[in-house]
Amino acid sequence: NRQEFMNQLEMLLSDISQAERDEALQYYNDYLDDAGIENEESAIRALGSPIQVACRILKEGLKEE
């Protein structure tokens, strides 16, 4: 569910700055809000696992540096 997904994602992003982590978590919370409660599960499945999402975030962070 959403809470588990977000908790796991936050844990996986513990090595980046608090500001970057907060920004990423807000982005995915907004994404799920936009999907709506009726589509939340399918939106989470479409994102992939928290590990996959964290890898994408970390990879993007490396590209910016």
Side-chain angles (χ1 to χ4, degrees), residues 22-54:
D22 289 347
E23 182 180 339
L25 294 172
Q26 186 63 52
Y27 174 86
Y28 286 100
N29 262 314
D30 290 347
Y31 175 85
L32 295 173
D33 285 344
D34 290 345
I37 192 79
E38 64 281 351
N39 297 314
E40 192 172 279
E41 270 188 55
S42 61
I44 290 172
R45 280 194 303 275
L47 288 171
S49 72
I51 292 171
Q52 291 170 312
V53 173

Side-chain angles (χ1 to χ4, degrees), residues 7-15 50-52 54 58:
N7 286 343
Q8 289 177 17
L9 183 58
E10 183 173 13
M11 183 184 67
L12 291 164
L13 296 176
S14 63
D15 289 343
I51 292 171
Q52 291 170 312
L58 296 171

